[in-house]
Amino acid sequence: TPVTDGDNVYVFFRDFGVISYDPAGAVRWKRPMGPFSNRMGAVTSPIIAGTSLVMVLDQFDSSAIVALSLATGDVQWTAPRAETDAWATPVLYEKTGAAPQIVTAAGGQYGAHAVASGERLWTHKGLAPAIVASPVVSGDTVVGFGYGYDATEPFAGTLAKMDSDKDGRLSLQECGTSAWLIGIAKYVGNRDGFVVES
């Protein structure tokens, strides 16, 4: 989803990066980014916070929140994040009498970052494991929505259905089109292209 400052438009394309357009549709600047390693793709939308375009780029390797200059596209700051999955667009939280914060929802938790530096201000765990919907601010309350379970199906059941060569593990080929299993095979555990019970 693109965002506008009232004059210019900013849009993030997963396979390229960020492009800013002026009111006539001419390109103002481009900022290539990626590649990204996500189970479902990098899809969070940018937001505007002060003079920055802010994006959450959570993935299996090198998750970060990044601020780009609205004027030039130059990187203003980058802050690492421990979250590995995020599809929710962050929200700007401006509490009266306090510095504004960027609130994120990802990987079963809220996080907040300082607008000026990206510094992690706080973490609140306990959300659903899969967060797709963007958080909403109502007064001093942040509301989020997610889905999923705290535990997955036992590996034995998945293995019985998908282990065609009966070697006790799932290869990338045996994972079929399951983005979740492919992500585990490539980016979790041994990162060797196999899913095993551990």
Side-chain angles (χ1 to χ4, degrees), residues 170-173 175 182 184-187 190-195:
L170 299 178
S171 66
L172 280 171
Q173 184 179 9
C175 290
I182 291 168
I184 293 172
K186 287 184 173 182
Y187 303 110
N190 296 330
R191 298 177 174 214
D192 60 0
F194 291 94
V195 180

Side-chain angles (χ1 to χ4, degrees), residues 67-109:
L68 305 178
S69 164
L70 290 175
T72 65
D74 292 337
V75 176
Q76 294 176 316
W77 52 256
T78 300
R81 286 170 50 86
E83 292 88 339
T84 58
D85 283 326
W87 301 287
T89 300
V91 65
L92 187 62
Y93 175 56
E94 299 179 279
K95 183 177 179 180
T96 304
Q101 301 175 8
I102 301 158
V103 177
T104 64
Q109 63 188 356

Side-chain angles (χ1 to χ4, degrees), residues 75-154:
V75 176
Q76 294 176 316
W77 52 256
T78 300
R81 286 170 50 86
E83 292 88 339
T84 58
D85 283 326
W87 301 287
T89 300
V91 65
L92 187 62
Y93 175 56
E94 299 179 279
K95 183 177 179 180
T96 304
Q101 301 175 8
I102 301 158
V103 177
T104 64
Q109 63 188 356
Y110 286 123
H113 296 267
V115 171
S117 65
E119 174 190 0
R120 185 71 170 239
L121 301 173
W122 53 264
T123 300
H124 175 77
K125 297 188 177 191
L127 298 182
I131 304 293
V132 178
S134 301
V136 175
V137 175
S138 176
D140 287 339
T141 303
V142 178
V143 180
F145 171 79
Y147 64 93
Y149 302 96
D150 292 332
T152 58
E153 174 186 0

Side-chain angles (χ1 to χ4, degrees), residues 47-79:
I47 65 166
I48 292 175
T51 61
S52 301
L53 185 74
V54 177
M55 295 188 328
V56 173
L57 301 173
D58 289 349
Q59 54 188 322
F60 290 115
D61 295 310
S62 306
S63 290
I65 184 169
V66 178
L68 305 178
S69 164
L70 290 175
T72 65
D74 292 337
V75 176
Q76 294 176 316
W77 52 256
T78 300

